[in-house]
Amino acid sequence: MTQVSWRSRTEWPLAAAAILFLLIYSIQVISQPEQDLRQILEILTWVIWTVFLIDYLVNFWLAPNRRQWFVHNLHELLIVVLPMLRPLRLLRLITLLRALNRAGGRALRGRILMYVLASAGILSYAAALAVLDIERTDSDANITSLGDALWWAMTTITTVGYGDHYPVTDTGRLIAAALMIGGIAVLGVVTASLASWLVESVAAETAADVEVADESVRRELAEVRAQLQVLTKALQHQNG
């Protein structure tokens, strides 16, 4: 068993585990279930955490250079060492984005599009849940419902920022800062991808126009050459 084969076999199961976690966290935040159901959901959350812990340890063990792999995968360490902080558990969704990246195909534009759409949607929804979970227990909170949280997340990630809803707690502001940085990154990718597509389109059209112009010039040169040959033969005939 190599690290590559392990990752190829576990990528989609881990993505499914991340989706299950997001569903569980959504139920915990939105529905605020009774004690019995809350305990069951908490047990399932710890089971998912154990799955990610096992995956991290196996990847570390199979890594060709463990020290280098450890340094380059600190985000995966955060996924497994912060189980007590509920908003930070959403870091597990990185696994889902990694699987969606493979689903985007080999084409660069397809992968970028998949990343942008998935990242924007997951980041917005996860931030909305986290902020609602933190904010609504504060007496000064103005984000007290899922609708408020989703609206705040949408205006924040798009850098619009109406200001009608905003976090008042320190943790909520940290989540907002992370969402704003993520929004700038997503918009930057969209802009760069659009610019690349426009440049390629213009370049392709220009190349086609040049090809048509070159073909026309070649055709005219061929006609001139043929006429010169006729005139040359006629002059030779007269001189002869």
Side-chain angles (χ1 to χ4, degrees):
M1 175 71 69
T2 64
Q3 188 182 45
V4 174
S5 61
W6 170 261
R7 285 193 171 236
S8 64
R9 293 180 182 180
T10 60
E11 194 164 40
W12 284 107
L14 289 175
I19 293 174
L20 179 59
F21 164 75
L22 183 60
L23 177 61
I24 292 172
Y25 188 65
S26 300
I27 295 174
Q28 289 175 323
V29 174
I30 298 172
S31 301
Q32 294 183 293
E34 299 295 333
Q35 182 65 26
D36 293 340
L37 180 56
R38 191 183 309 123
Q39 290 179 350
I40 294 174
L41 295 177
E42 194 64 25
I43 292 172
L44 290 175
T45 300
W46 280 100
V47 170
I48 295 174
W49 174 80
T50 303
V51 170
F52 279 91
L53 175 62
I54 293 173
D55 175 70
Y56 179 84
L57 294 176
V58 172
N59 273 291
F60 179 76
W61 180 260
L62 295 177
N65 187 329
R66 294 173 186 170
R67 179 178 298 179
Q68 183 178 5
W69 185 88
F70 174 81
V71 172
H72 290 170
N73 293 271
L74 291 176
H75 65 279
E76 297 201 19
L77 179 62
L78 292 177
I79 293 174
V80 297
V81 300
L82 297 173
M84 299 303 297
L85 302 176
R86 280 176 57 170
L88 293 180
R89 294 176 184 178
L90 293 170
L91 289 171
R92 294 171 189 164
L93 298 177
I94 293 175
T95 304
L96 177 58
L97 291 177
R98 190 169 60 209
L100 290 175
N101 173 43
R102 289 174 60 90
R106 296 183 178 180
L108 178 61
R109 186 169 293 119
R111 299 178 72 172
I112 290 176
L113 180 61
M114 181 66 72
Y115 255 137
V116 169
L117 295 179
S119 298
I122 293 175
L123 187 61
S124 299
Y125 183 69
L129 286 179
V131 163
L132 179 61
D133 189 20
I134 295 297
E135 290 287 309
R136 65 180 168 194
T137 57
D138 193 280
S139 58
D140 297 327
N142 58 80
I143 301 177
T144 57
S145 67
L146 181 62
D148 293 341
L150 290 174
W151 173 250
W152 164 82
M154 183 63 66
T155 58
T156 301
I157 197 173
T158 55
T159 68
V160 174
Y162 280 108
D164 51 349
H165 294 289
Y166 52 88
V168 297
T169 64
D170 292 337
T171 304
R173 288 168 180 164
L174 287 175
I175 296 171
L179 182 59
M180 285 185 280
I181 294 172
I184 293 172
V186 169
L187 290 177
V189 171
V190 171
T191 303
S193 180
L194 179 60
S196 173
W197 176 75
L198 289 174
V199 169
E200 289 183 8
S201 299
V202 172
E205 291 180 2
T206 302
D209 293 341
V210 170
E211 181 67 24
V212 171
D214 288 347
E215 181 64 27
S216 177
V217 171
R218 284 195 294 267
R219 192 181 307 112
E220 291 178 1
L221 288 175
E223 292 176 356
V224 170
R225 190 179 297 112
Q227 292 175 0
L228 287 174
Q229 290 177 353
V230 171
L231 290 174
T232 301
K233 290 180 179 180
L235 290 173
Q236 290 175 350
H237 186 300
Q238 290 178 355
N239 293 332

